[in-house]
Amino acid sequence: MDGGTEFRFIGTNAPFLGRTWGDPAEFEDEIRAASQSGINVIRLYPFEVKMSSDPAGTYRHVMGPGNFNDSAFRLFDKILQLANRYNVRLIIPFVDAYTYVGGTADWAAFRGKSADSFWSDPVVKQDFKDFIRYVVNRTNTITNVPYKNDKAILAWQLGNELRSTDSWTSEMAAYIKSLDPNHLVGDGGYVRAQGIRSNALNDPNIDFIDPHIYLYHNYADPVATLNNWRATTQGKKPLIIGEFGDFPPETTDRLLSTMQSNGTTGAMIWGTMFHHRMGGWHWPPVGDWSYVRYPGFPSGDWANESAVIELLRSYAYSFRGSAVPAWPAPDAPVLFPSDSVHALSWMGVSTAASYDLERAASANGPWTVIAGGVTDDVTAPENYNYTVPVADDPDAVLGKGYFYRVRAKSPSGVYSPYSNVIGPMKPRETTVVDNGSGSYSESGTWGSSSLPGSYGGGSRYSSAAGSTAKWMLNVQAPGYYNVYVRYPYHQSSSQSVTYTVYHNGAADRVSVDQLSIAQGQWRLVDTAYFAAGPGQYVMLTAGGKAGTSGSNSRADAVMIEPVLFGDLFQSGGTNGWTLASGAWAPASDISMVLKQSAPGVAEARAGGVYANAAVTAAVKAYSEGTEAASGLIARASADLSSFYTMRINYDQRKVQLYKKINGVWTKLAEAEQSASPGTWYLLRLELSGRYLTGYVNGVRKISAADASLTEGYAGLRTHNQTAVFDNFIVAPD
C-alpha cells in the first residue's frame, strides 16, 4: 500500500545503475527517463564485491570484510537523492549469486572458504551481516537521511537469484528487519531453480515473492506459469515479477495483461540502459535480444526496442488507472567542446527521439539546421574516456570559424530548449582514404557492403580472421595527427579487431569493438607523430573466428587531422616528454596509458611551447588520500616553476584551477566535482588570451581571467596519488 492506495507498478532492472565506475549524470539520465516514461520502480544490480581476478586499481563497494568504499557509497547517496527527486522507488539487492561484479563466492573467498560456506560459516555470515548493518545504517552524505528511513527505497532484497538455504534466508531477513522495520524485504531466491519455497511464503520477515521468467527458461506456457505463481502466493504474499525479458512483443503484451488481471503487484523488465557520460549510450550486446533505451530507436528494433518501450509505458499507466500521456519535452542537451568539426558530440537527454544540429558564423546567429533528425544511438564502451562522436559537419569550409548548438525532440515532436553554444571552431585540413581509393589494399577474403553509415556509400567486410585491410597515407607535413577510423554498424560485427598505426618508423596497435561507436562516426583511435611523405599507413586485422556469426570485421575509411601535440601512449613510450619528477612509465589499462606511481609531487611536460590551445587528458586515480589530486599543466615554464594547473582534488571532491608563479600558488577557481578512484574523468583546459575555461567530461565547470602567463608547455601533474593518464592532446584554439 502507498498510504491508502494499492501500489501496483511496471518497473525496470537497471544493471548499470549504481556501478562504482558510474557518473551522477548517467544515473540521473536513467532515473529521470524511467520517471518520464511512467516507470516508477527500478531494481538495481547487487553491490559490487572485490574479486581476486580484479586488476590493480579496481574499486568495488566491498573491498574486504569491514572495508567498504566510501567513494562508491557517495555515488549511491546520489542515486537515492535522485530517486526521491523523480518519485521513483528502488529495490536494492545486497549480493549476487554470480561473479559479474563479485558475489557470494567472493565473500567466502575473503576468509579462504569454499563458495558454499557463504550459507553456513559463522565468520562469513557475520562479515555479511556487518555489511548489511553498514548499508542500512548509513546516513546519506547529500540528504542527511539514514538509508533505513529513506522513502525512495521500496525494498531490500537479500540478493539476486540466490541458491540460498532456508535457514540462511530466515536468519538474514530477520536481521534486516531488526535493523530496519520500515522497509520491505525480499528473499531474492532463484524461483526457476528452486520453485516458490514454502519457507519464503511463511516467513514473517519475507514480504513478497519475486520470481524471474524469460523466453530461454522454456516454460511451455509462460502465461499459465504466471497464473500458477499467482495462485500459489495469493492470500499469503504479494507477487512481483522481478525480471522478465526476451519475449516477442505479442507475448510480452499477453504477460503484462495477465499480470494486470490476476492481481500481480508489479513486473520489472530486464533491462534498461542510460546515456553514456561522454555521449552515446551504454548498450552492451546480449546475443539475439537487447537491453532497451528510452524512448526506443530504429537501430534497436531488430530486438523490438520501440515496441517494448511503448508496451511498458502503456501498462505502467494502465496498472495505476491512468491514460498514457504524450511524451514530455526533453531537457536541454549539453554540447561538448570539440577539437574537430568531424567529431561533434553531446550528452543526450532522457526521452529524446532525435536532435537537430545547428551552425552559425556568430554566437548570436543566424542559425541554420545542418543535420535534422540526428539520433545519438551510438554505443560507447563502458570505460571509454574520450567524447563519443555523434555528428559530423562535412561541409564546413577551411579557414572559417563556426559556432554550434543542438536541441532534442521527443517522440511526440516537442522540442527541448537549446543546448549551450560551442565555438568558434575552425576546420583543419584532413586527409581521408576510403576503401574504394587506390591507396587502399587488402589481403585475405573480403566482400562488399552497402550498410548505412559507410563512407562514400560502401564498405568492406571479412569473416576470415587474420585478413587485413590497409590504408596508405601520404602525409603532406610532418607533425602530430589525430587518427580516426570509420565503419558501419551491424549486430554481426566483430568485437575484436586490431588497427595498427604505422607512423615515423613506429607501430601503435589498438583493439576496437566494432559494435561500439559505429553508425558511421569518425572514431579517434590514436594521436601520433607522422613524418612527411608516403610509406605510413593504418592497417586493420580482422578478428573473430572464421565462419562464425558475430565475426564480420568491417573496413571503411581512415582520416588524419593535425593537432599541436598528441600522445595517446599507444606506442608504449614517452617520446616527446620531459619527466621532471615522480615515477612515470607506460602501463596497460583499457589501452596503453602513462602511469605515475610515486608519492608526493610528480610533474611531466610535453611537446613545445603553446599560447592559445586546448589541453585535454583522461585521468583515473588508483588511490585517494590527504589532498590527493591529479590533473593538467598548461603554459608552464621549462623548469616548471610557473604554470596553470587544472586538477581534480579527490580528497575535497572538487575540480580546481590554480596558478603557480615562481613557486607561489594562487587559487583561481574551484567547483564541486564527484571524484571516485577507479573512474575515468576527461579533463580539458582551454586557454585563449587571458581567459581560462575548464571542463570535466565535456561539462564546463570552472573559469577565470588571468594574464600572468601567456605561453608555455603543457603537461600532467599528480600530488600524493597514483594515477594513469590517457588521450593527452594539445589542439589549436
Side-chain angles (χ1 to χ4, degrees), residues 223-273:
V223 170
T225 300
L226 288 180
N227 282 323
N228 179 60
W229 286 343
R230 175 60 177 153
T232 303
T233 58
Q234 193 163 10
K236 297 180 179 180
K237 298 286 170 69
L239 175 66
I240 295 172
I241 306 305
E243 295 179 18
F244 73 95
D246 80 334
F247 294 103
E250 298 78 12
T251 307
T252 299
D253 194 359
R254 289 176 58 221
L255 291 172
L256 293 174
S257 177
T258 299
M259 295 175 204
Q260 184 173 21
S261 62
N262 73 10
T264 297
T265 293
M268 292 176 283
I269 187 82
W270 184 278
T272 49
M273 285 287 150

Side-chain angles (χ1 to χ4, degrees), residues 432-613:
V432 177
V433 181
D434 194 12
N435 65 84
S437 74
S439 298
Y440 173 82
S441 61
E442 297 173 344
S443 72
T445 304
W446 292 86
S448 295
S449 171
S450 57
L451 283 173
S454 298
Y455 186 84
S459 57
R460 304 284 286 168
Y461 73 94
S462 176
S463 59
S467 294
T468 66
K470 183 184 288 187
W471 297 263
M472 298 301 299
L473 303 172
N474 187 9
V475 180
Q476 296 302 305
Y480 287 92
Y481 291 81
N482 280 343
V483 180
Y484 299 87
V485 299
R486 181 165 168 159
Y487 45 87
Y489 174 80
H490 193 276
Q491 67 188 89
S492 72
S493 293
S494 173
Q495 293 180 256
S496 179
V497 305
T498 299
Y499 285 95
T500 300
V501 179
Y502 184 76
H503 61 98
N504 196 37
D508 300 350
R509 291 177 177 83
V510 185
S511 180
V512 166
D513 173 1
Q514 289 194 328
L515 285 178
S516 64
I517 315 184
Q519 304 284 47
Q521 283 79 17
W522 287 111
R523 175 174 184 167
L524 179 64
V525 294
D526 199 5
T527 304
Y529 183 86
F530 286 82
Q536 300 162 110
Y537 59 82
V538 176
M539 183 174 70
L540 179 153
T541 303
K545 296 180 180 179
T548 62
S549 62
S551 62
N552 286 327
S553 301
R554 303 192 180 275
D556 190 2
V558 165
M559 177 174 72
I560 60 172
E561 186 173 33
V563 293
L564 292 175
F565 180 86
D567 196 338
L568 298 188
F569 308 113
Q570 302 297 345
S571 297
T574 55
N575 292 338
W577 286 83
T578 299
L579 309 176
S581 58
W584 301 87
S588 179
D589 196 272
I590 59 172
S591 60
M592 291 302 297
V593 297
L594 186 62
K595 183 176 182 179
Q596 198 299 115
S597 56
V601 173
E603 295 172 341
R605 60 175 175 84
V609 172
Y610 314 109
N612 294 334

Side-chain angles (χ1 to χ4, degrees), residues 136 138 145-153 156 180-183:
V136 171
R138 179 178 173 84
V145 175
Y147 283 17
K148 62 186 176 184
N149 295 336
D150 199 313
K151 68 179 182 180
I153 299 173
W156 301 111
D180 177 8
N182 295 327
H183 289 107

Side-chain angles (χ1 to χ4, degrees), residues 77-358:
D77 294 345
K78 185 65 177 179
I79 291 172
L80 292 175
Q81 181 206 34
L82 291 167
N84 277 292
R85 179 189 303 172
Y86 291 105
N87 198 28
V88 169
R89 292 195 166 105
L90 307 174
I91 296 178
I92 303 172
F94 281 104
V95 68
D96 196 15
Y98 312 109
T99 55
Y100 302 121
V101 297
T104 56
D106 301 289
W107 274 102
F110 287 146
R111 299 296 185 179
K113 305 285 185 176
S114 67
D116 287 344
S117 68
F118 181 81
W119 314 113
S120 58
D121 186 273
V123 175
V124 177
K125 288 197 295 182
Q126 188 58 52
D127 288 343
F128 188 58
K129 284 183 176 178
D130 291 345
F131 176 61
I132 290 173
R133 186 175 67 249
Y134 171 84
V135 174
V136 171
N137 286 332
R138 179 178 173 84
T139 296
N140 192 308
T141 58
I142 301 171
T143 65
N144 292 317
V145 175
Y147 283 17
K148 62 186 176 184
N149 295 336
D150 199 313
K151 68 179 182 180
I153 299 173
L154 175 64
W156 301 111
Q157 196 176 41
L158 294 179
N160 175 58
E161 297 191 346
L162 302 178
R163 278 72 166 177
S164 51
T165 64
D166 287 348
S167 61
W168 182 92
T169 297
S170 293
E171 180 181 352
M172 294 301 170
Y175 184 67
I176 295 174
K177 286 290 190 180
S178 73
L179 299 172
D180 177 8
N182 295 327
H183 289 107
L184 303 174
V185 173
D187 74 324
Y190 192 16
V191 167
R192 182 194 181 207
Q194 299 175 327
I196 295 178
R197 296 182 296 178
S198 59
N199 179 71
L201 279 174
N202 297 319
D203 191 314
N205 295 309
I206 302 294
D207 295 308
F208 56 89
I209 307 299
D210 58 341
H212 299 174
I213 187 168
Y214 288 96
L215 181 64
Y216 75 86
H217 287 174
N218 297 318
Y219 290 109
D221 184 350
V223 170
T225 300
L226 288 180
N227 282 323
N228 179 60
W229 286 343
R230 175 60 177 153
T232 303
T233 58
Q234 193 163 10
K236 297 180 179 180
K237 298 286 170 69
L239 175 66
I240 295 172
I241 306 305
E243 295 179 18
F244 73 95
D246 80 334
F247 294 103
E250 298 78 12
T251 307
T252 299
D253 194 359
R254 289 176 58 221
L255 291 172
L256 293 174
S257 177
T258 299
M259 295 175 204
Q260 184 173 21
S261 62
N262 73 10
T264 297
T265 293
M268 292 176 283
I269 187 82
W270 184 278
T272 49
M273 285 287 150
F274 46 72
H275 280 99
H276 197 289
R277 63 188 176 277
M278 300 310 302
W281 287 80
H282 293 279
W283 200 47
V286 283
D288 58 358
W289 64 286
S290 173
Y291 291 99
V292 295
R293 303 158 294 182
Y294 308 98
F297 296 95
S299 62
D301 285 347
W302 59 269
N304 304 301
E305 180 179 66
S306 299
V308 169
I309 288 289
E310 286 302 326
L311 280 170
L312 294 177
R313 289 189 78 230
S314 175
Y315 279 97
Y317 287 102
S318 181
F319 258 51
R320 52 185 185 256
S322 301
V324 180
W327 287 95
D331 291 345
V334 175
L335 189 57
F336 298 150
S338 177
D339 295 326
S340 173
V341 298
H342 303 294
L344 300 170
S345 183
W346 55 85
M347 175 69 179
V349 287
S350 312
T351 71
S354 65
Y355 301 81
D356 288 355
L357 178 66
E358 299 183 1

Side-chain angles (χ1 to χ4, degrees), residues 694-713:
Y695 300 79
V696 179
N697 293 344
V699 179
R700 178 172 172 163
K701 290 285 188 174
I702 50 178
S703 60
D706 186 83
S708 303
L709 301 169
T710 57
E711 63 178 15
Y713 295 90

Side-chain angles (χ1 to χ4, degrees), residues 8-36:
R8 302 185 71 195
F9 63 89
I10 295 296
T12 182
N13 287 268
F16 280 9
L17 183 62
R19 296 281 64 89
T20 56
W21 46 259
D23 183 90
E26 296 175 330
F27 296 163
E28 183 167 8
D29 184 72
E30 170 72 45
I31 295 170
R32 180 177 55 210
S35 177
Q36 292 176 342

